[in-house]
Amino acid sequence: MTQDLPPPPPADGASPAPKWFDRPATALARQLLGCVLVRQHAEGEVRARIVECEAYRGPEDRAAHSRGGLRTPRNEAMWGEGGRAYVYFVYGMHWCLNVVARGPGHPEAVLLRGAEILSGQDLVRARRRGRGWPHAMLRGPACLTQGLAVDGSLDGHPLARTPLRLLGGAPGPEERIACSPRIGVAYAGEHAARPWRYYLAGSPGVSGPARLRR
DNA sequence: GCGTAGATCGTCT
DNA sequence: GACGATCTACGCT
């Protein structure tokens, strides 16, 4: 992939415009590494830096909820405007947070799998009931949503607006972007092997077995 | 460190 | 009625 990518927005700037999200989920996933999530709720504000995510492409991706062009009430947000949240419920107990990629009619999304807490650690600890190491409390997609208090009420929410915002950012100079096959999609046949999971190697916020964190 | 099993329910077939 | 973009605890190496 040598195509030119739009530059990430400034780390201290406002949220990216919808246009910034209008590109393949694989390209967007890499640029989301280092970006910052800002979650505001009654108890205060939490800021966390994205260190792991997975791209889910459109109808041709057998691991995606939009495989085969499937369009249901659950995945409706995937079909809408880029830069919104797609939040869904799995395994009868967990929520997962995605960033919608591309524009209306192209159901692609990026699953956020891991983050590092920048501020509001006490609020996250309270939500996670003390589970996890201080810098690993948002490790794993379900841990991330639990720690940031994200659930179905935020499905379709524009990430440029409070109470859940996305701010621009980028990996640090010493950080290495790595990729691997996606986790938990073994059922997807040949698509399961696509290296569409991106992460910052060595970050404590990266999930999965040790060999997939290096 | 690694592998396995159980929890638990919305969604789709 | 089957299964899932997961997590945790537990036992074994």
Side-chain angles (χ1 to χ4, degrees):
Chain A
M1 284 249 217
T2 54
Q3 69 184 74
D4 285 346
L5 299 174
D12 59 350
S15 300
K19 186 170 162 45
W20 187 76
F21 299 91
D22 187 6
R23 56 185 129 155
T26 41
L28 181 64
R30 264 174 303 183
Q31 298 247 291
L32 284 175
L33 294 176
C35 287
V36 175
L37 280 172
V38 183
R39 172 68 166 125
Q40 283 167 321
H41 47 89
E43 300 92 69
E45 179 186 284
V46 178
R47 288 179 180 245
R49 189 166 164 270
I50 298 167
V51 297
E52 180 189 2
C53 55
E54 287 178 352
Y56 286 85
R57 301 297 303 272
E60 77 282 0
D61 179 3
R62 286 179 53 196
H65 288 167
S66 55
R67 56 183 170 272
L70 200 64
R71 184 169 186 167
T72 67
R74 176 174 73 151
N75 71 7
E76 186 59 32
M78 281 187 89
W79 289 84
E81 185 180 46
R84 290 177 180 250
Y86 166 42
V87 184
Y88 67 90
F89 191 64
V90 276
Y91 295 115
M93 63 192 93
H94 298 306
W95 293 98
C96 290
L97 171 62
N98 295 250
V99 176
V100 176
R102 302 210 54 184
H106 298 275
E108 302 193 21
V110 178
L111 170 67
L112 304 185
R113 295 190 52 93
E116 290 174 359
I117 301 170
L118 297 177
S119 67
Q121 191 175 104
D122 291 343
L123 295 177
V124 176
R125 181 182 295 120
R127 286 226 141 245
R128 298 272 301 128
R129 293 188 212 149
R131 285 190 296 261
W133 292 94
H135 295 292
M137 283 191 290
L138 300 179
R139 178 154 99 183
C143 295
L144 188 148
T145 54
Q146 186 184 18
L148 294 181
V150 169
D151 62 22
S153 67
L154 288 168
D155 187 35
H157 172 77
L159 294 171
R161 297 220 298 259
T162 181
L164 180 63
R165 283 187 297 149
L166 180 77
L167 303 183
E174 74 289 355
E175 291 176 315
R176 185 170 64 87
I177 295 180
C179 60
S180 82
R182 293 170 292 183
I183 293 176
V185 297
Y187 60 86
E190 64 182 75
H191 293 257
R194 304 273 169 98
W196 287 347
R197 168 178 174 263
Y198 300 92
Y199 58 102
L200 295 180
S203 164
V206 175
S207 72
R211 75 190 144 80
L212 291 181
R213 286 186 257 140
R214 288 193 286 266

